[in-house]
Amino acid sequence: MEQKIKAYNNLLELVGNTPLVKLNKITQNFNGNYFAKVESFNPGHSSKDRIAMHIIEQAEEKGILTPGSTIIETTSGNTGFSIAMVSIIKGYKCILAVSSKSSKDKIDMLRSMGATVYVCPAHVSADDPRSYYEVAKRLHQETKGSIYINQYFNELNMDAHYASTGPEIWEQTGGQITHLVACSGTGGTISGTSRYLKEQNPNIKIIGVDAYGSVLKKYHETREFDRNEIYPYRIEGLGKNLIPAATDFDIIDEFIKVTDSESAHTAREIARTEGIFAGYTSGAVMQAIKQLNEEGRFKKSDNVVVIFPDHGSRYMSKVYSDQWMEDQGFFDTESVPDGQKIQY
Ligand code: PMP
């Protein structure tokens, strides 16, 4: 008898349905059970595959995108990679306007995935015609049948997680989840996932993770945009210097802030203890779990879900480079446990 070919039609069929993995060692002295939603299992290695696919498919349904149309966005990060991947597979052009601060590796990676990358000066203000925001807007206006993803201000970002990440976590935990702890950048992940989860059980606690140097926590507490909160920090993809419309601040119960150094060390600890090679913000989320445990916030019976948004391979020249850690002064802190620094 002829065997059936067991193949996916393309990578897009593999977006979502990422595994929920129990954390065993890094959490051994903590109260509660901890489960990581490992988003690096998406084919583009991050949670951003979900929003790229959802936003593009919504535009197809509305008839905005037709074969050969152009998709535009302003990021060199995970979202850029996911949009480039979806565009290649579906037959669209992808234009990414990025800041000249973006690393060469990132720009090369996006170009390798078929994207046209405009490198725009980092030192100009957002409303300068040369800024990556303005370049993206202009290209969108000039290009008929194009879409501008605009992830920080696009409601469909949240929708993507409402439709996929939320139901997956509810089903994978058999409805027994008590807490969700997730990083907030655009806020799409935490807002959409939480909206679904709270509809199933309004008692689930939602904790957002923010960076020192970002306005999100203060805005959540006061509903005021406080410029004094803003200063440079190292963690990429978490926190913001503006208030994203893609965040539903009402659905998040609280925010907790984490430092660059502790988050970096915790990312390295996840790899060494659990064997999960995860990105910088996965370290941030586990750092938040540590702090919440120090505050005695969890019970033994709690089922806490954390989201690990991307893969460690994107941070080889940063968090996973001893030289970079040294250059940041992250090895100088007294909080570094023994054995963190590899001796050659
Ligand atoms: N971690 C990483 C590495 C990211 O790229 C992002 C997206 N900016 C986030 C966390 C936060 O996800 P969201 O934008 O959905 O809040």
Side-chain angles (χ1 to χ4, degrees), residues 48 78 152 157 161 183-189 236-237 281 309-310 315:
K48 295 297 180 177
N78 288 323
Y152 282 89
N157 174 351
H161 293 285
C183 291
S184 200
T186 66
T189 307
E236 294 162 67
T281 54
D310 70 353
Y315 305 87

Side-chain angles (χ1 to χ4, degrees), residues 180-197:
L180 176 76
V181 184
C183 291
S184 200
T186 66
T189 307
I190 191 167
S191 305
T193 305
S194 303
R195 188 174 288 176
Y196 183 87
L197 291 174

Side-chain angles (χ1 to χ4, degrees), residues 18 83 212:
T18 53
I83 295 169
Y212 287 98

Side-chain angles (χ1 to χ4, degrees), residues 102-333:
S102 308
S103 73
K104 186 174 172 302
D105 275 2
K106 279 189 174 174
I107 294 168
D108 286 346
M109 185 160 77
L110 298 171
R111 289 191 171 137
S112 306
M113 291 293 285
T116 302
V117 183
Y118 286 76
V119 182
C120 308
H123 61 273
V124 299
S125 63
D127 56 1
D128 186 295
R130 293 166 298 167
S131 81
Y132 52 92
Y133 295 113
E134 288 300 317
V135 169
K137 262 199 272 175
R138 178 172 55 76
L139 289 167
H140 175 45
Q141 282 157 8
E142 287 172 4
T143 315
K144 207 170 155 264
S146 66
I147 62 165
Y148 177 22
I149 301 273
N150 204 7
Q151 61 170 338
Y152 282 89
F153 296 94
N154 192 334
E155 288 249 323
L156 293 173
N157 174 351
M158 205 185 287
D159 264 16
H161 293 285
Y162 177 85
S164 65
T165 322
E168 287 171 30
I169 292 174
W170 182 252
E171 197 264 324
Q172 286 168 319
T173 58
Q176 294 180 68
I177 173 176
T178 56
H179 298 75
L180 176 76
V181 184
C183 291
S184 200
T186 66
T189 307
I190 191 167
S191 305
T193 305
S194 303
R195 188 174 288 176
Y196 183 87
L197 291 174
K198 285 221 182 193
E199 278 174 13
Q200 313 311 309
N201 175 3
N203 296 324
I204 297 171
K205 281 270 163 297
I206 309 296
I207 302 170
V209 183
D210 190 18
Y212 287 98
S214 154
V215 295
L216 301 179
K217 182 175 196 290
K218 182 84 177 273
Y219 182 79
H220 181 255
E221 287 160 6
T222 63
R223 289 299 189 272
E224 270 168 38
F225 176 72
D226 184 353
R227 276 186 192 284
N228 295 323
E229 292 286 300
I230 302 172
Y231 53 87
Y233 56 90
R234 292 278 163 218
I235 315 175
E236 294 162 67
L238 151 68
K240 201 59 192 165
N241 56 1
L242 50 76
I243 308 302
T247 309
D248 179 354
F249 284 90
D250 292 332
I251 211 146
I252 300 165
D253 291 299
E254 68 179 284
F255 274 94
I256 179 165
K257 285 202 181 198
V258 292
T259 67
D260 287 341
S261 173
E262 287 172 314
S263 301
H265 283 292
T266 305
R268 292 162 73 109
E269 192 182 344
I270 296 169
R272 284 201 324 276
T273 53
E274 304 290 338
I276 302 174
F277 195 45
Y280 202 169
T281 54
S282 305
V285 83
M286 285 313 293
Q287 177 55 34
I289 293 290
K290 284 186 190 177
Q291 291 170 205
L292 291 162
N293 268 281
E294 275 161 23
E295 292 170 15
R297 297 283 298 279
F298 297 115
K299 296 195 299 288
K300 276 214 148 39
S301 57
D302 285 340
N303 292 315
V304 183
V305 173
V306 294
I307 296 183
F308 286 178
D310 70 353
H311 196 264
S313 59
R314 297 219 164 132
Y315 305 87
M316 286 312 296
S317 55
K318 294 198 169 170
V319 173
Y320 296 108
S321 153
D322 277 359
Q323 187 59 55
W324 185 84
M325 293 287 284
E326 190 97 53
D327 291 346
Q328 310 309 309
F330 291 174
F331 282 135
D332 295 340
T333 59

